[in-house]
Amino acid sequence: MDCHNIQTAELFCSMDRVRKAWHSVIPCDTLSKSQFLTLMTIYHYEKPQQNEALSRPVKLSALANSMGQSLPALSQRVKLLEDMGYIRRIPDPDDRRIMGIQLTEEGIQVLFIAHKRFDSIISDTAEYLGAETYDKLISLLTQLAEALELAVSHMVQIEEQKKP
């Protein structure tokens, strides 16, 4: 095995360890990472803006666009989250055919617990690494994410060109 293949294997193993550690942030075993991410995205969408008194439900189409997911896949996840009691559907006051999605108190509580856990984990991690190393890590991870996204995009373009 050449050096490049060894580094690739090491990177893969390290990323898998980070993935496993990330899962510990989710406060309940019944939620998958994609379900948890959906709850977080709903939370960020429904936060009241400066001139609003109340939070606003998010439309499924806006949520799907934001997450880069298909409506059918997201609809299934939303249904599961609704069945679990973490979200509810709210009819649009202007058009009753359109349903908005909003977090329930249980959904907000799950996010609150996860935020506290994540804050504690990240604080301990930053302390362990030291400020300079931690800042450099964030910069390098951002660069890695950008490079991976670019490489995937390039690969998709090449595959599209090969199609008859």
Side-chain angles (χ1 to χ4, degrees):
M1 196 184 275
D2 65 14
C3 181
H4 178 71
N5 288 340
I6 292 171
Q7 287 177 323
T8 301
E10 287 176 357
L11 178 62
F12 183 83
C13 289
S14 294
M15 290 174 67
D16 192 50
R17 289 176 62 195
V18 169
R19 179 193 59 80
K20 288 175 184 173
W22 169 248
H23 190 72
S24 68
V25 172
I26 300 171
C28 65
D29 294 334
T30 58
L31 278 175
S32 69
K33 285 187 293 186
S34 61
Q35 290 168 332
F36 183 71
L37 178 61
T38 302
L39 292 178
M40 286 181 17
T41 306
I42 293 168
Y43 175 78
H44 286 289
Y45 253 94
E46 71 176 25
K47 283 192 299 192
Q49 300 300 310
Q50 288 180 352
N51 298 332
E52 296 176 330
L54 301 172
S55 64
R56 60 196 193 294
V58 61
K59 292 179 183 169
L60 189 60
S61 58
L63 188 62
N65 286 339
S66 167
M67 297 181 75
Q69 303 201 344
S70 70
L71 276 172
L74 190 59
S75 292
Q76 288 180 329
R77 191 173 321 127
V78 163
K79 174 72 173 118
L80 285 171
L81 289 168
E82 185 179 24
D83 292 345
M84 296 165 97
Y86 294 126
I87 61 172
R88 65 179 153 259
R89 295 176 194 255
I90 309 241
D92 186 297
D94 299 326
D95 186 346
R96 293 278 191 208
R97 296 171 296 168
I98 299 173
M99 298 298 273
I101 302 162
Q102 195 170 47
L103 293 173
T104 62
E105 287 300 318
E106 292 153 280
I108 292 169
Q109 187 65 25
V110 163
L111 290 175
F112 176 76
I113 291 167
H115 186 269
K116 276 181 74 173
R117 279 187 184 185
F118 190 66
D119 232 18
S120 175
I121 290 168
I122 292 301
S123 178
D124 289 350
T125 302
E127 185 177 324
Y128 175 83
L129 293 173
E132 186 178 326
T133 301
Y134 185 69
D135 289 344
K136 187 171 184 163
L137 173 64
I138 291 170
S139 175
L140 289 171
L141 285 173
T142 301
Q143 290 176 33
L144 175 61
E146 290 169 357
L148 288 170
E149 290 165 352
L150 186 61
V152 168
S153 173
H154 185 252
M155 184 179 67
V156 167
Q157 287 176 352
I158 291 172
E159 289 172 357
E160 287 294 319
Q161 290 173 355
K162 290 181 181 177
K163 288 183 180 177

